[in-house]
Amino acid sequence: METLGNILYYTLHPFQLRNILQWKMQHNPIHQANVMSGSESRQVCFKFLDQSGRSFSAVIKALHPELLIPISIFYLVLRGLDTIEDDPSIHPKTSNDLLRGFEDVLEIDGWTFDGNRPEEKDRELLVYFHHVIKEYKMLKPVYKVIIKDVAKIMGNGMADFCPKVTLDNPDNVGIMTIAEYDLYCYYVAGCVGEGLTRFFTEAELCNSSLLNHPNLSHSMGLFLQKTNIIRDVCEDYEDNRHFWPKQIWSKYVSDFADIFEPNNREAALDCSSEMILNALEHVKDCLVYLAWLDEQSIFNFCAVPQSMAIATLELCFRNPALFERNVNVKISRGDACQLMIECRQGLPGLCRIVSRYARRIKAKNSPNNINFSEINTICHKVCYSR
């Protein structure tokens, strides 16, 4: 039935199929990883990497050989942290202890965790986490330090915010301000940008001066995280969590739950417009950061997620499906392939992507939108921030 559905979809959307075929035929990685060689643990790690998403896995596997394994392990370690934070079925004390001490488990041979609910997407990663630990221990000391530093920042930040964002916690006050929202996004994504910049410079594949501009790497992470928070608002709410700051949503509804009521759809769309406006403020910094990256595989690795983020924001903008249950707001595989093709053209290609989606957001903007003029202004800035 799924195959029949795919045939029907691509019959009605031939350009999507064209993009997929074009990517498969023309994709020629700068660096080709032989993922079938190496230890059992390494092959298991690549399997989990593939499960995270085909497009993301593809750009990691095309990284410079010096960074392929370190960044793969870095990603899987942080994915493990995210899997603990994401699972509301884990007892709060257990979750808190795991998050705050996660950097220490990297030194424990054979450590695994099987306490996630069965439906948790990356449960298997933690069940077989001893393979990640084994590969981590074989990394160069400087790379291990980076991974532990970021895991410590992220784990403690997640633990600090878990009580705030859990709706069924009696002490919950939620994320109140935009500053607090930015801090949360720093803990779960901005510090990742810092870590990646350290990887790039330690490998001597990036100008070390980039370390002197942490605001740029922070924006790289915040833009991605804010996009995910906007897109996943309904899914998070069903898991009894919410991350949208009260400073924004309280302008539109008196209680956060009201944002999902059909009678409040226009208010919800205006609220999501302001959330998207807040995310778009990071785009200029992201482009400046990417302009510093000369090594093509590193540029692709950083640029592809950013291109998919702005495409996702355009899909979310003024989209009622964002607030409907069991609706997956996600860019198509064909669009993802098109974005990866364009990112191979370097910064000019990425700028064209950003401008295109900013223009589409502006075209969807309506004078009835409370944030109409602000959206138009930020889209204009994004279109010409080169």
Side-chain angles (χ1 to χ4, degrees), residues 22-309:
Q22 185 178 358
W23 169 253
K24 287 186 175 182
M25 290 187 293
Q26 295 184 4
H27 179 51
N28 186 22
I30 301 166
H31 308 289
Q32 184 67 57
N34 184 3
V35 299
M36 299 308 294
S37 65
S39 65
E40 176 193 1
S41 290
R42 184 162 298 184
Q43 291 184 46
V44 171
C45 288
F46 277 119
K47 182 191 80 169
F48 288 130
L49 196 64
D50 288 337
Q51 290 176 357
S52 69
R54 292 180 183 178
S55 57
F56 187 70
S57 175
V59 291
I60 288 186
K61 288 179 182 177
L63 274 169
H64 189 284
E66 172 66 18
L67 291 177
L68 171 62
I69 303 303
I71 287 182
S72 295
I73 300 306
F74 180 53
Y75 173 78
L76 292 176
V77 167
L78 302 186
R79 193 73 180 175
L81 264 172
D82 193 53
T83 302
I84 294 168
E85 187 219 18
D86 270 351
D87 190 346
S89 72
I90 301 175
H91 190 277
K93 185 181 185 308
T94 302
S95 178
N96 183 77
D97 291 345
L98 285 170
L99 292 172
R100 294 197 186 280
F102 202 75
E103 76 274 13
D104 297 326
V105 308
L106 298 175
E107 303 295 342
I108 303 175
D109 291 329
W111 185 90
T112 63
F113 179 71
D114 63 357
N116 285 106
R117 56 187 175 179
E119 65 269 26
E120 196 64 33
K121 177 179 178 289
D122 292 303
R123 181 183 190 278
E124 192 180 8
L125 169 62
L126 289 174
V127 171
Y128 295 98
F129 201 75
H130 59 286
H131 292 293
V132 178
I133 293 172
K134 185 175 181 180
E135 291 298 315
Y136 164 82
K137 288 193 169 186
M138 290 190 286
L139 297 176
K140 292 179 181 179
V142 66
Y143 296 146
K144 291 197 287 186
V145 169
I146 296 170
I147 293 173
K148 288 192 81 168
D149 285 350
V150 175
K152 184 175 182 178
I153 294 170
M154 181 182 287
N156 281 283
M158 286 176 167
D160 287 346
F161 273 91
C162 273
K164 290 178 178 290
V165 301
T166 304
L167 294 174
D168 56 5
N169 187 321
D171 298 324
N172 170 278
V173 293
I175 293 179
M176 302 297 289
T177 65
I178 293 172
E180 200 173 22
Y181 176 53
D182 284 347
L183 180 61
Y184 170 75
C185 290
Y186 166 75
Y187 283 141
V188 298
C191 65
V192 179
E194 284 182 357
L196 288 172
T197 306
R198 289 169 64 186
F199 274 114
F200 302 155
T201 55
E202 289 291 350
E204 298 183 347
L205 295 170
C206 168
N207 190 324
S208 61
S209 298
L210 193 53
L211 290 170
N212 300 327
H213 303 278
N215 59 301
L216 300 179
S217 62
H218 293 174
S219 282
M220 290 283 287
L222 266 63
F223 184 57
L224 298 181
Q225 184 62 27
K226 288 182 176 183
T227 298
N228 291 339
I229 285 173
I230 292 165
R231 181 197 62 199
D232 296 338
V233 61
C234 195
E235 179 183 340
D236 286 333
Y237 184 73
E238 289 177 358
D239 277 339
N240 288 321
R241 302 183 305 161
H242 75 79
F243 300 95
W244 290 23
K246 187 174 183 179
Q247 186 176 346
I248 291 179
W249 64 256
S250 62
K251 298 177 187 178
Y252 305 94
V253 289
S254 56
D255 186 272
F256 187 70
D258 295 338
I259 208 168
F260 301 98
E261 294 296 328
N263 293 340
N264 295 325
R265 191 61 78 232
E266 199 62 31
L269 292 174
D270 286 346
C271 183
S272 65
S273 295
E274 185 168 348
M275 291 291 294
I276 290 170
L277 174 66
N278 174 273
L280 288 172
E281 294 286 353
H282 298 288
V283 171
K284 184 176 181 180
D285 278 355
C286 292
L287 292 175
V288 173
Y289 181 93
L290 288 159
W292 284 72
L293 304 181
D294 296 324
E295 207 280 332
Q296 186 65 44
S297 72
I298 290 176
F299 177 86
N300 293 348
F301 169 74
C302 293
V304 167
Q306 301 294 328
S307 70
M308 293 189 181

